[in-house]
Amino acid sequence: LAGIVAVNTTLAPCVAGILVFALRAKVFEPKALDVGGFCNGILAGLVAITAGCAFVKPWEAVMIGLLGGLFYQLGSMLLAKLKIDDVVDAFPVHGINGAWGLLALGFFGDPEEGIGGNGLFYGGDQFRVQLTAFIIIAAWSGLLSTLIFVPLKFAGALRMGDEFQDHGADQMEHSPNKAYSAHPPAPTTVAKKEVNDIESPAPQPPVAAAAPAPAPPAVAHELAAHHADAGAMLDLRRRHQHVRSGEGAAAAAARTVVRAQRSQRHRRRGHP
């Protein structure tokens, strides 16, 4: 039983999603690759096979999924035609395909397979039971929904205000309010101009470097005296180095004379 359930709940959503994806890409608007429609087609196939997943054969699950995808697409288009606000296609996915899955079990399911099916296509009477269940469920859920939503409508609590409708509940009361914003807020610019519309400043001619201003007479005299002192100090330092170098040469000559005298004394004493 678990194996047939796993196979059927895999096949039905796969074919339903692929059918809706193909229909929206090639047949119906927007005639583009609609990933949201593809995901809702998968959900529609899952809803459609829920009632009979354990009682039909795999090829029957494929048929139920295909019709579920088609019913979802037609239901979504019908809501748009009637201008009924269902932004996530909840009714085509769960309402229409819930009813289709419930009734589909009355058509499919061979009693001879021994898995509990008793469909109308095989001479069974399961469709009568499924139709009765559909009427009871629709009446029960419709009555309770009416008891809840009608008082909310008269109380003004069923619909958000115009400000919420214009800006969206995400921005007005959810946090964070930019989780999946499709239209980010426009950047604030001066006078609401586009970046390309903002005039660039005209090029300015290059400014020539200004000549240094002449120094006042007193400052010029002081600078001249400073340069003269610096020159005198440099000349004195050079003379000092020259004297030191002369003294060094004299000391070296004296050391040479002393070494020569020592050598002569050693020779006189017979030292080699």
Side-chain angles (χ1 to χ4, degrees), residues 144-169:
L144 290 182
S145 297
T146 302
L147 294 176
I148 294 174
F149 291 126
V150 169
L152 289 176
K153 180 179 179 180
F154 283 105
L158 188 59
R159 180 183 179 275
M160 290 184 174
D162 293 337
E163 186 178 3
F164 277 78
Q165 295 287 336
D166 293 338
H167 295 87

Side-chain angles (χ1 to χ4, degrees), residues 127-208:
F127 181 75
R128 182 182 59 185
V129 177
Q130 299 302 117
L131 181 59
T132 304
F134 167 73
I135 294 173
I136 294 174
I137 293 172
W140 173 261
S141 58
L143 176 62
L144 290 182
S145 297
T146 302
L147 294 176
I148 294 174
F149 291 126
V150 169
L152 289 176
K153 180 179 179 180
F154 283 105
L158 188 59
R159 180 183 179 275
M160 290 184 174
D162 293 337
E163 186 178 3
F164 277 78
Q165 295 287 336
D166 293 338
H167 295 87
D170 289 339
Q171 183 176 353
M172 296 296 294
E173 62 181 18
H174 290 180
S175 178
N177 57 7
K178 295 181 181 179
Y180 51 92
S181 175
H183 303 286
T188 55
T189 57
V190 178
K192 297 183 179 179
K193 285 188 176 182
E194 297 292 337
V195 176
N196 295 332
D197 295 337
I198 299 176
E199 298 180 357
S200 58
Q204 300 294 331
V207 180

Side-chain angles (χ1 to χ4, degrees), residues 95-121:
I96 294 177
N97 274 283
W100 160 238
L102 186 64
L103 296 176
L105 186 56
F107 294 104
F108 298 98
D110 189 355
E112 296 181 2
E113 293 292 333
I115 56 176
N118 190 27
L120 184 64
F121 293 159

